[in-house]
Amino acid sequence: MTAVSTAPGGSPAADAELRRVRGEVRAFLRAELDAGSFSPAPDNWMSGFDPAFSARLGARGWLGMTLPKRYGGHERPLLERFVVTEELLAHGAPVAAHWIADRQMAPSISANGTEQQKQRYLPGIAAGELFFAIGMSEPDAGSDLAAVRTKAVERSDGSWTISGTKVWTTGAHVAHAMVLLARTDGGPGDRHTGLSQFVVDLSHADIEVRPLRSIDGGAHFNEVVFHDAQVGADALLGRRGAGWTQVMSELAFERSGPERYLSTMPLLRAWAERLRRTGATEQQRVTLGWLTAHAWALRRMSLAVTAELAAGRKPDVLAAMVKDLGSTFEGDLVEAIRACVETEPRRHGGDAFARLLAAGVLHTPAFTLRGGTNEILRGIVARGVGLR
């Protein structure tokens, strides 16, 4: 399966430009694969950390695409960024190093940051040289972000003391900085009020990063402990007390992108190529058709969110729907293919397809948890359409 060459509803000139960009990205990825610089893998946007690869993308102008040029960006449309992202995911490229920084921290800092913060962080993000982690989930909060207990207390000189623990923090052991949600005012009962965001450098002596090993043996998740870490007044991102609103805007970027249904696309593509060479049974043809059609439908939904974001709107409900349906589909894809083949998943040895299948199986449990559990997302959708 390959992604479409154009986006629906665009002008002929815009569609032609998207086809040109897509062709350039595909040619680049073919060259990278031919050179052996990476092996396609499911979920490589989460676990495929390759700073050199990210830097090569930055040098080609494929990071920070929508940012202003004065901050190292390229002022390109969101749809062009969608095309680049789509191809990287479909090819299973190792993009984890820059992913969070480019996906949501670039637009968040651009929208909410001070001039100093923009100058400090955005050029490095666009160059593929500055990586971010997200400090949202906590041991006693999980997907209920309004229940976070991490505290930031303002000192007399305007600086802040941060104490608390964040968990399931992807890439914190290799990231340069973190954006975190902390309570600056009120108490847990205040829920959405009194929360603020901060940008902190993870090299801080009083910030401890503890890797958490997952079922596949990897350690890209972390627990991050703030031992009364003092940060400057310039660490506050946006307005004090506006953290909840800012986070909700970020989550539209986090939850609606093509990574929410393309994490296992390298496996589907490999299986389709395998069937092309060996032939397919009736069951395999039906399964391949169903999976492909489902992916197309999710793509249309994700494109709709991209259009809403490009128009300056906040499609929180639609983004939650994309994440819910997309992450469920990713796991369904793995199980559907597994049921149609005699290949045993193998982490080591075997052929490339067996290893792809094993990676898909081991990563599946996380799909419906990260970025907000599906139960939380369905509550957002229910409230959005007036059912609760």
Side-chain angles (χ1 to χ4, degrees), residues 63-129:
L63 301 180
M65 292 181 68
T66 64
L67 291 176
K69 292 181 180 179
R70 66 182 179 276
Y71 301 124
H74 306 282
E75 299 181 9
R76 306 301 297 174
L78 268 173
L79 276 177
E80 286 191 20
R81 184 187 180 279
F82 186 98
V83 163
V84 173
T85 299
E86 193 172 42
E87 291 298 326
L88 292 170
L89 292 166
H91 284 81
V95 294
H98 70 264
W99 197 261
I100 290 171
D102 185 61
R103 177 184 67 185
Q104 65 200 91
M105 290 322 305
S108 179
I109 293 174
S110 183
N112 303 306
T114 63
E115 183 62 25
Q116 180 185 13
Q117 289 170 331
K118 294 174 184 178
Q119 294 285 355
R120 181 176 181 180
Y121 296 111
L122 296 183
I125 292 174
E129 298 173 351

Side-chain angles (χ1 to χ4, degrees), residues 18 32 50 57 67 103 146 170 178 201 218 224 240 247 271-272 283 288 307 318 328 338 342 351 367 381:
L18 291 179
E32 291 282 319
D50 187 341
L57 293 178
L67 291 176
R103 177 184 67 185
T170 303
M178 170 192 275
D201 291 338
V224 182
R240 177 173 180 165
V247 163
W271 186 49
Q283 179 194 8
L288 179 62
L318 184 55
T328 300
R338 190 179 186 183
E342 296 181 356
D351 60 15
F367 294 158
V381 174

Side-chain angles (χ1 to χ4, degrees), residues 217-235:
H220 53 275
F221 292 127
N222 299 272
E223 182 179 55
V224 182
V225 184
F226 293 81
H227 298 286
D228 292 333
Q230 186 174 346
V231 299
D234 58 354

Side-chain angles (χ1 to χ4, degrees), residues 2-322:
T2 56
V4 301
S5 298
T6 60
S11 68
D15 285 349
E17 180 62 13
L18 291 179
R19 286 193 295 270
R20 184 194 67 78
V21 172
R22 192 182 296 279
E24 286 187 358
V25 178
R26 286 181 175 176
F28 166 81
L29 290 170
R30 282 194 297 269
E32 291 282 319
L33 287 167
D34 290 344
S37 75
F38 75 92
S39 297
D43 221 23
N44 243 1
W45 69 269
M46 180 69 73
S47 56
F49 186 84
D50 187 341
F53 186 86
S54 294
R56 290 197 291 277
L57 293 178
R60 287 179 169 266
W62 292 335
L63 301 180
M65 292 181 68
T66 64
L67 291 176
K69 292 181 180 179
R70 66 182 179 276
Y71 301 124
H74 306 282
E75 299 181 9
R76 306 301 297 174
L78 268 173
L79 276 177
E80 286 191 20
R81 184 187 180 279
F82 186 98
V83 163
V84 173
T85 299
E86 193 172 42
E87 291 298 326
L88 292 170
L89 292 166
H91 284 81
V95 294
H98 70 264
W99 197 261
I100 290 171
D102 185 61
R103 177 184 67 185
Q104 65 200 91
M105 290 322 305
S108 179
I109 293 174
S110 183
N112 303 306
T114 63
E115 183 62 25
Q116 180 185 13
Q117 289 170 331
K118 294 174 184 178
Q119 294 285 355
R120 181 176 181 180
Y121 296 111
L122 296 183
I125 292 174
E129 298 173 351
L130 198 157
F131 312 136
F132 263 83
I134 306 172
M136 291 189 186
S137 295
E138 296 187 2
D140 297 320
S143 291
D144 185 10
L145 293 181
V148 298
R149 297 182 180 180
T150 295
K151 292 184 179 180
V153 178
E154 189 175 17
R155 298 162 61 96
S156 59
D157 62 357
S159 64
W160 298 85
T161 299
I162 301 175
S163 58
T165 301
K166 298 294 181 178
V167 75
W168 309 122
T169 311
T170 303
H173 60 305
V174 289
H176 301 100
M178 170 192 275
V179 60
L180 76 143
L181 184 67
R183 182 161 296 283
T184 52
D185 302 281
D190 295 317
R191 301 291 291 174
H192 300 156
T193 60
L195 296 170
S196 303
Q197 283 188 299
F198 295 84
V199 181
V200 298
D201 291 338
L202 287 173
S203 59
H204 198 295
D206 295 320
I207 300 176
E208 180 183 2
V209 178
R210 303 169 178 170
L212 300 173
R213 198 161 298 279
S214 55
I215 192 172
D216 65 349
H220 53 275
F221 292 127
N222 299 272
E223 182 179 55
V224 182
V225 184
F226 293 81
H227 298 286
D228 292 333
Q230 186 174 346
V231 299
D234 58 354
L236 180 67
L237 178 63
R239 291 187 301 104
R240 177 173 180 165
W244 182 259
T245 300
Q246 292 172 195
V247 163
M248 289 301 102
S249 295
E250 279 180 36
L251 288 176
F253 289 94
E254 179 179 350
R255 289 172 171 167
S256 66
E259 68 269 31
R260 294 308 178 188
Y261 58 92
L262 290 182
S263 294
T264 49
M265 186 56 59
L267 174 62
L268 181 59
R269 296 182 71 189
W271 186 49
E273 176 58 23
R274 186 184 180 102
L275 294 180
R276 186 190 67 79
R277 295 194 312 267
T278 64
T281 66
E282 179 65 21
Q283 179 194 8
Q284 289 171 333
R285 285 195 295 270
V286 170
T287 300
L288 179 62
W290 176 81
L291 292 172
T292 303
H294 203 150
W296 281 107
L298 288 165
R299 181 180 188 271
R300 296 288 299 203
M301 292 179 66
S302 186
L303 277 168
V305 178
T306 300
E308 290 289 294
L309 291 170
R313 292 186 281 270
K314 297 181 179 180
D316 300 347
V317 174
L318 184 55
M321 292 175 66
V322 171

Side-chain angles (χ1 to χ4, degrees), residues 310-369:
R313 292 186 281 270
K314 297 181 179 180
D316 300 347
V317 174
L318 184 55
M321 292 175 66
V322 171
K323 200 278 179 184
D324 177 16
L325 296 173
S327 59
T328 300
F329 166 72
E330 290 178 323
D332 290 346
L333 185 154
V334 174
E335 291 306 313
I337 293 176
R338 190 179 186 183
C340 283
V341 300
E342 296 181 356
T343 302
E344 286 293 325
R346 296 179 64 91
R347 287 193 60 211
H348 306 291
D351 60 15
F353 181 76
R355 293 192 294 273
L356 278 171
L357 185 57
V361 170
L362 292 174
H363 279 255
T364 291
F367 294 158
T368 58
L369 298 176

